[in-house]
Each structure stands twice: as C-alpha cells, then as structure tokens.
Amino acid sequence: AAKAQGKNRAQFFSEEINRKIRNDLQIEAGLRQAIKDPGSGLYVAYQPQVCATTREIVGVEALIRWRQDDGKSVSPGEFIPVAEKTGLIIEIGAWLVGRICRDLAHMRQSGIELPKIAINVSPKEMTRGTAIVGNACLTLTGFGESVERFQFEITENALIDENASDVLKAFHDAGFTLAIDDFGTGYSSLGYLKRFRVSTLKIDQQFVQSLPGDNEDATIVSAVIQMAQALGITVVAEGVETEAQAAFLTEHGCDILQGYHVGRPMPVHELVTFIHGQHTT
Ligand code: C2E
Ligand code: MG
Ligand code: MG
Ligand code: MG
C-alpha cells in the first residue's frame, strides 16, 4: 500500500510540475507577444510616495502591470519570475523605461513634473553588467528626460552578483540614485551601505504590517531608521496601510511613506487626477 501511495504522490507531483510548465510557457508566449505589440496589455502603474511629515507627494514607484487579451490581469509576482528565467526581463526592462517616458510626457501636458520616479531592477538584469545603465541613459536622453530624478531599486540579493558593484557604480556615475528594496529580507551584509552610495532604504512591508503593536517589529523599524539617519540615507516605508502605522513611522523619523493608505498603484491618467486632487484640497 505504501508503494502505491508513493506512486500516486509521484504522479501528483509530475502533474503539478506539468501544469506549472504549461502555465509558464503560456506566460512566456503571451509576454513575447505583449512586448512586440505597442497597444498590448503591458502598462505601468504608479504608486505615490509622500513625505511623512507634510504628506505631499515626493515621487512614485513604477510597477509593471499586465492585462491579458481575455481581460485577466497577471500579477508581476507571477510573470516577473518567468521573464527572469527566459531572459525576457531584459526586453521588458528596456520597454519599461520607454513606457515611463511616454507617461511622463503625458503628465507634463497636465502640468505635472514628478520629483522622483523609482524603477525596479531585477537581479537577472544585474547579471548582464552595465549595459542596463547605458540603455536607460540612451532612452531617457532620447525622450529629453534628465537622469537625476530617476531612482533604481535593487534588492539585497541582487548585490551578491559579481557584477553588482560595477553596475551600481555605473548607475551612480551616470547620475541616478539607488534604493535598496525590501530592506531586511535579503542575505547580503550591511557593508554595501558603505561601499555603494545608496541614497535610499525601503523597509519591507513585512516589518510595517504589524506596527505599532508588535514590539519586535517596532524595535527593528526604529533601529533601521536611526541607522539610516546616521548614515545620511533616506528611509521609505513600504506597505503602509493604516494611519496608526503612518503615525508610528513619522514619529520615529521615517522620511517617506508608501502604501495603500497613501495611494494604490494607479495608471497614469488616475495619477494625474490624484495629484490634481491633492493640490486643491
Ligand atoms: P516591490 O518592488 O517591493 O513593490 C511593492 C509591492 O507591494 C507592489 O506589488 C505593490 O503593489 C505592493 N504594495 C504597495 N502598497 C501596498 C500595501 O499597502 N499593502 C500591500 N499588501 N501591498 C502593497 P506588485 O506591483 O504586485 O509587485 C510585486 C513585485 O514585483 C515588486 O515588489 C517588484 O519586485 C516586482 N516588480 C513590479 N514591477 C516591476 C518592474 O517593472 N520590473 C521588475 N524587474 N520588477 C517589478
Ligand atoms: Mg520596488
Ligand atoms: Mg519592496
Ligand atoms: Mg517586493
């Protein structure tokens, strides 16, 4: 009986794996199509970041979105890993910067100049070396955008790559600022804060979630803020969902808040409305 059970289990796993492979192949084919077709379902959502004390918008994070032809949305948590595995992330990364420039031109027509636009870089993009920096510069200057207000977000795990230090230096030398995304969840040492000129730390939402009640998270968050302050690094809190969290973070010296409490990620036309609404109320 044990043998039969083992066989069943193996069969179950292989079906699971088959399903996963089929699903990934579908995602890959869909993404390839979507990158080629400019009117396709890939777009960028912008999530506001506000100054903790004044609650004025100080920037946005660009978050990729994909609505398939059948109207269903696939989350980046699902398709980014596939894009990384297949190398498509390189093309997506290039597409992203161009898309953002077009959106910025649209905002400009509505009288909006964002002080900062943060763009996620995946670890796989780092492994290709400094080409990503050159390509981003070319696209931005092609659209007449200056590089200073663009920030690239990198996770700690991406810093382990042997190319990381060259790539970070190239970003810095080109005039971009750097943020460490999901701070506190990776495996690298804190030494990079000194080595690379990191301008911003983003405290991962897992530490923000149970503020202010959870004593351990409260201790971690306030210690991170103190450390960053001492090093002259800006702190962004991610995943701020309640006013109680916002108040705790502000009291403890966090510079910037990001999360549903402040604003959801939204398409460019909604962001325009959001910003205009903020200034008139
Ligand atoms: P991330 O860069 O850490 O982005 C923050 C994620 O938290 C986003 O999920 C955002 O929608 C979500 N979020 C924001 N505020 C709240 C909140 O108050 N509560 C909760 N529960 N969640 C909140 P999203 O858009 O699904 O993106 C997931 C991840 O996918 C991102 O994590 C990033 O690592 C990756 N990603 C997204 N867009 C891109 C992109 O354009 N390029 C690359 N390479 N990766 C991207
Ligand atoms: Mg991010
Ligand atoms: Mg994050
Ligand atoms: Mg994340």
Side-chain angles (χ1 to χ4, degrees):
K3 214 174 180 180
Q5 213 180 20
K7 196 181 166 204
N8 281 344
R9 200 169 295 156
Q11 202 170 350
F12 172 76
F13 281 131
S14 72
E15 273 168 27
E16 272 295 282
I17 290 164
N18 276 335
R19 207 186 341 265
K20 172 92 177 80
I21 291 171
R22 250 197 324 273
N23 189 48
D24 284 3
L25 284 172
Q26 261 164 21
I27 288 178
E28 185 189 347
L31 273 179
R32 276 192 201 285
Q33 194 55 42
I35 300 166
K36 261 190 287 178
D37 175 4
S40 79
L42 279 179
Y43 65 98
V44 178
Y46 298 91
Q47 185 171 36
Q49 297 182 337
V50 299
C51 168
T53 48
T54 67
R55 302 290 170 95
E56 270 178 61
I57 190 160
V58 292
V60 295
E61 178 176 1
L63 293 158
I64 196 163
R65 292 289 177 266
W66 184 24
R67 198 191 303 278
Q68 288 179 315
D69 294 340
D70 60 8
K72 267 191 243 147
S73 289
V74 188
S75 80
E78 190 173 356
F79 71 81
I80 293 284
V82 177
E84 290 200 319
K85 250 185 291 179
T86 55
L88 271 175
I89 193 69
I90 306 296
E91 279 150 275
I92 291 179
W95 171 88
L96 190 72
V97 178
R99 177 73 258 168
I100 291 170
C101 288
R102 289 187 188 89
D103 290 344
L104 290 176
H106 175 83
M107 285 183 235
R108 190 162 296 133
Q109 287 178 343
S110 308
I112 294 168
E113 290 293 347
L114 295 171
K116 184 181 85 188
I117 303 98
I119 302 174
N120 292 282
V121 179
S122 79
K124 180 76 184 248
E125 288 176 276
M126 304 280 287
T127 65
R128 299 286 180 100
T130 57
I132 177 177
V133 181
N135 290 339
C137 281
L138 272 177
T139 306
L140 291 173
T141 47
F143 277 94
E145 297 289 345
S146 62
V147 297
E148 295 81 32
R149 60 185 181 143
F150 292 88
Q151 179 162 84
F152 284 90
E153 297 190 0
I154 289 144
T155 57
E156 290 167 290
N157 292 339
L159 300 178
I160 298 164
D161 189 90
E162 53 179 301
N163 284 321
S165 115
D166 287 348
V167 180
L168 294 200
K169 186 171 183 306
F171 271 124
H172 186 269
D173 291 348
F176 296 111
T177 58
L178 288 170
I180 302 298
D181 203 354
D182 305 345
F183 181 73
T185 64
Y187 291 102
S188 62
S189 82
L190 285 176
Y192 65 78
L193 293 179
K194 217 173 89 179
R195 258 200 325 278
F196 310 127
R197 275 156 289 192
V198 169
S199 88
T200 303
L201 285 187
K202 301 190 75 181
I203 301 179
D204 191 68
Q205 42 187 300
Q206 79 173 68
F207 302 108
V208 173
Q209 222 167 42
S210 34
L211 293 179
D214 186 294
N215 283 331
E216 282 166 357
D217 285 341
T219 304
I220 291 170
V221 166
S222 58
V224 168
I225 295 169
Q226 277 181 43
M227 178 192 68
Q229 269 175 347
L231 293 171
I233 294 171
T234 301
V235 180
V236 178
E238 291 193 276
V240 180
E241 293 184 352
T242 68
E243 181 51 37
Q245 292 164 352
F248 176 94
L249 289 158
T250 309
E251 270 166 37
H252 286 81
C254 179
D255 303 290
I256 296 172
L257 308 176
Q258 182 182 347
Y260 298 163
H261 180 65
V262 170
R264 297 213 167 227
M266 51 193 119
V268 62
H269 57 272
E270 275 179 40
L271 182 73
V272 168
T273 312
F274 178 89
I275 292 174
H276 283 153
Q278 249 201 350
H279 286 296
T280 53
T281 51

